[in-house]
């Protein structure tokens, strides 16, 4: 049984569990979108992120087996480095998931392959727009201790972008050059999972849920129709303990 809270003020679902349990719950979310897509004879669209959420969740996706044939994989953001660089989110996913699972790269859509940033963003937007009006079924986001999600950092001008994909030139988290999905696209995705682990995320999680916050996480949680926060106990340590329900 897992502990879920619907946060009183924001109405956002919050799941607080050990990381390995969260990882299994994420696998269930992926299985669900695959089943729904398979019933409609199409592939599900999943966008993943880099950082600790990829480290902890992607290896569990190796168990998907033949379900992988019904999944197309995108990124929420990518660092502007070669795909073979250890900082590349693509490289990280390849090491942790695609290679061990023997996944066909035909259904994997890297976000940055060495062109200039503006071109990479335009190309990726085109790929997504050709796919469908609503190209993604599920996005998996990490959370920075400053409240950033994907490569959408606090105060950035692109937070209000109407595009689906934007270049990022001066990210405060290295490397500074990146490509990112926008809030516009992320918030229109039917299933949004934001995962945060560790005490360094506790203040920003509590702030995004309890204040009229302008942090990227808070904006996403307000706009997305179905967002779930997956927190380990340390990341949830500054949340008020009211509003708890079990299921
Ligand atoms: C990236 C990420 C980024 C990440 C957060 C959290 O490529 O840098 O996509 O948005 O998810 O910065 O990273 P950690 O979980 O490693 O702190």
């Amino acid at each position: 049984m897992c502990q879920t809270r619907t946060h009183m003020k924001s109405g956002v679902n919050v799941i607080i569990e050990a990381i390995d349990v969260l990882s299994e719950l994420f696998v269930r979310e992926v299985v669900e979108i695959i089943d729904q897509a398979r019933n409609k004879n199409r592939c599900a669209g999943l966008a993943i992120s880099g950082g600790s959420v990829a480290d902890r969740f992607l290896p569990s996706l190796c168990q998907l087996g033949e379900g992988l044939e019904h999944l197309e994989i995108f990124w929420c953001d990518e660092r502007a480095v070669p795909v073979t660089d250890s900082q590349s989110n693509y490289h990280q996913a390849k090491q942790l998931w695609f290679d061990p699972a023997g996944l066909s790269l035909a259904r994997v859509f890297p976000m940055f392959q060495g062109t200039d940033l503006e071109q990479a963003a335009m190309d990726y937007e085109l790929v997504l727009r050709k796919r469908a009006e609503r190209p993604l079924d599920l996005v998996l986001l990490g959370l920075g201790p400053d409240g950033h999600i994907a490569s959408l950092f606090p105060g950035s001008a692109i937070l209000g972008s109407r595009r689906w994909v934007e270049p990022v030139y001066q990210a405060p988290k290295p490397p500074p050059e990146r490509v990112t999905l926008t809030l516009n696209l992320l918030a229109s995705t039917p299933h949004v999972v934001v995962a945060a682990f560790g005490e360094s995320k506790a203040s920003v999680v509590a702030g995004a849920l309890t204040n009229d916050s302008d942090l990227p996480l808070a904006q996403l949680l307000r706009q997305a129709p179905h967002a779930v926060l997956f927190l380990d106990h340390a990341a949830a340590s500054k949340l008020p303990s009211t509003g708890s329900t079990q299921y």
Side-chain angles (χ1 to χ4, degrees), residues 223-241:
Q223 292 173 36
H226 182 69
V228 188
L229 271 179
F230 279 21
L231 307 177
D232 70 354
H233 293 280
S237 59
K238 294 196 174 159
L239 287 181
S241 55

Side-chain angles (χ1 to χ4, degrees), residues 48-55 75-79 87-89 92 140-146 148-153 173-175 178-180 195-197 200-201:
I48 57 177
S49 296
S52 63
V53 67
D55 281 335
W75 272 264
C76 294
D77 71 325
E78 180 57 284
R79 300 119 183 240
Q87 294 182 90
S88 154
N89 290 343
Q92 183 185 28
L140 173 65
L141 292 154
L143 174 69
D146 59 354
H148 79 258
I149 45 165
S151 289
L152 297 166
F153 292 88
K173 176 182 178 180
R178 292 157 171 261
V179 181
T180 188
F197 317 131
S200 68
K201 315 284 169 75

